[in-house]
Amino acid sequence: MNAKVGTFAGDVWEALSQNGELEVKDLKKAAKLKTEKDLYLALGWLLREDKLVITEVEKTIKVSLK
C-alpha cells in the first residue's frame, strides 16, 4: 500500500507542478486519480513531507506546492 500511496503522491505533485494551485476536485482530475480516497492519501503523504499549502476560501479547498 505504501508504494501505491507514494505513486499517488507523485501524481498529485506533478499535477500541481504543471498547473499551479488547484481546487481539490480539479486536482483529482489533473492527477488522474480514480477515487477521493486516493487523493486524500496522497495529500496526507505530501502534507507530512511539508510539500503543500492548503487554503480554504468560502468552503472551497485549494492546494498548491510550497
Side-chain angles (χ1 to χ4, degrees), residues 21-39:
E21 183 178 66
L22 291 170
E23 290 183 19
V24 171
K25 64 181 177 172
D26 298 327
L27 178 55
K28 181 179 167 232
K29 289 177 191 175
K32 299 177 183 166
L33 297 174
K34 293 180 182 180
T35 68
E36 285 187 14
K37 177 187 80 170
D38 295 343
L39 174 63

Side-chain angles (χ1 to χ4, degrees), residues 36-54:
E36 285 187 14
K37 177 187 80 170
D38 295 343
L39 174 63
Y40 289 119
L41 286 168
L43 291 176
W45 180 294
L46 292 168
L47 282 167
R48 181 73 174 127
E49 291 186 346
D50 198 30
K51 305 275 186 194
L52 300 179
V53 175
I54 296 185

Side-chain angles (χ1 to χ4, degrees), residues 9-20:
D11 295 340
V12 167
W13 191 93
E14 187 65 34
L16 290 169
S17 177
Q18 291 178 4
N19 298 294

